[in-house]
Amino acid sequence: MIEKDTNLEDQALNDVIGKIEKGARIATRKASDVALIAVSKTRGADEIRPLLDAGHRIFGENRVQEAMEKWPGLKADYPDVELHMIGQLQSNKAAEAVALFDYIHALDRLSLVKALAKEMQRQDRQIPCFLQVNVGEESQKGGCDIEALPQLLEQAREAGIMVAGLMAIPPGDTNPAPYFALLAKLARDNGLDGLSMGMSGDFEAAIKLGASHIRVGTAL
Ligand SMILES: *Cc1c(COP(=O)(O)O)cnc(C)c1O
């Protein structure tokens, strides 16, 4: 958590942290068990620095190319940054992703399992991954089918990938809570702890339903 007296303040960050603390209290969870991923996609390095100066260290990006333009420089100044790849990942970007990121959230198919496992081995770098599940069964969205999850989990583990948990983006314009509950159940059924769910508009609901990682962009 942020040490408010030793760091510069960031109002939006403090507001989000306050909501996380409140949501955790209501859910009788510890706020420290919810990691806030500050989604910095589309923001320039000069917009990211205030959050770093305020003490925040966990960030998310959704495009490898964009992240490669911003983060090597920022990481040189703030080496303890933890960087999450939260977007769709193409197999041909696996090498760059493994080199730059500390977590990958959208592992959803065997071809990507193979590409990432190969790179992790080659670079001797283990990147924990979340398996993305298409909880709303939307054809245009990433994520594996609900029924395909046990098999993907087995394939990832066989390839030597450390599976941190599950990730989902519920359908828009509908109550996300049932989808968060479904993802939590799938994680339980498959013996996984991590739950990457909840964005600016719904992270409090996600915390109530067990999110371990929330991905917040516009609210920051
Ligand atoms: C952009 C993005 C977010 C953040 O969304 P906001 O609504 O801006 O908080 C979260 N997850 C993913 C996968 C994203 O691409």
Side-chain angles (χ1 to χ4, degrees), residues 76-98:
D77 293 342
Y78 302 88
D80 54 343
V81 155
E82 180 182 294
L83 205 53
H84 293 247
M85 173 58 185
I86 62 170
Q88 290 297 306
L89 184 59
Q90 290 171 312
S91 296
N92 63 10
K93 295 269 168 48
E96 285 104 325
V98 167

Side-chain angles (χ1 to χ4, degrees), residues 131-151:
L131 303 184
Q132 184 180 359
V133 185
N134 188 351
V135 285
E137 300 176 313
E138 297 170 283
S139 58
Q140 79 283 11
K141 257 204 195 135
C144 73
D145 291 343
I146 293 167
E147 313 79 63
L149 175 61
Q151 189 187 17

Side-chain angles (χ1 to χ4, degrees), residues 11-143:
Q11 191 55 50
L13 179 63
N14 285 345
D15 288 350
V16 169
I17 290 171
K19 286 179 181 166
I20 293 171
E21 286 169 348
K22 187 167 171 222
R25 224 172 18 249
I26 291 167
T28 62
R29 302 184 57 203
K30 282 191 279 182
S32 56
D33 289 342
V34 181
L36 168 61
I37 301 173
V39 178
S40 48
K41 66 183 185 202
T42 76
R43 305 214 191 181
D46 52 331
E47 290 176 275
I48 298 172
R49 277 182 195 277
L51 291 174
L52 288 160
D53 290 336
H56 197 72
R57 289 295 180 272
I58 310 176
F59 290 84
E61 291 281 345
N62 72 335
R63 303 176 84 139
V64 174
Q65 191 58 44
E66 183 187 339
M68 280 174 57
E69 285 159 18
K70 293 186 284 193
W71 282 101
L74 291 168
K75 270 188 159 181
D77 293 342
Y78 302 88
D80 54 343
V81 155
E82 180 182 294
L83 205 53
H84 293 247
M85 173 58 185
I86 62 170
Q88 290 297 306
L89 184 59
Q90 290 171 312
S91 296
N92 63 10
K93 295 269 168 48
E96 285 104 325
V98 167
L100 181 63
F101 290 97
D102 302 296
Y103 288 84
I104 288 171
H105 286 246
L107 180 50
D108 63 356
R109 59 194 188 276
L110 180 59
S111 56
L112 188 55
V113 164
K114 287 181 175 164
L116 287 172
K118 189 172 144 203
E119 275 309 319
M120 288 185 205
Q121 211 156 35
R122 199 176 66 81
Q123 300 183 30
D124 192 20
R125 197 171 138 72
Q126 267 292 334
I127 312 290
C129 295
F130 290 80
L131 303 184
Q132 184 180 359
V133 185
N134 188 351
V135 285
E137 300 176 313
E138 297 170 283
S139 58
Q140 79 283 11
K141 257 204 195 135

Side-chain angles (χ1 to χ4, degrees), residues 39 41 62 86-87 167 169 198-201 215-219:
V39 178
K41 66 183 185 202
N62 72 335
I86 62 170
M167 179 269 210
I169 307 169
M199 319 201 312
S200 290
R215 310 177 308 266
V216 177
T218 42

Side-chain angles (χ1 to χ4, degrees), residues 189-215:
D189 290 351
N190 287 281
L192 295 166
D193 292 328
L195 278 175
S196 168
M197 59 188 197
M199 319 201 312
S200 290
D202 55 21
F203 67 83
E204 288 151 295
I207 290 170
K208 281 183 201 141
L209 291 161
S212 64
H213 293 70
I214 58 172
R215 310 177 308 266

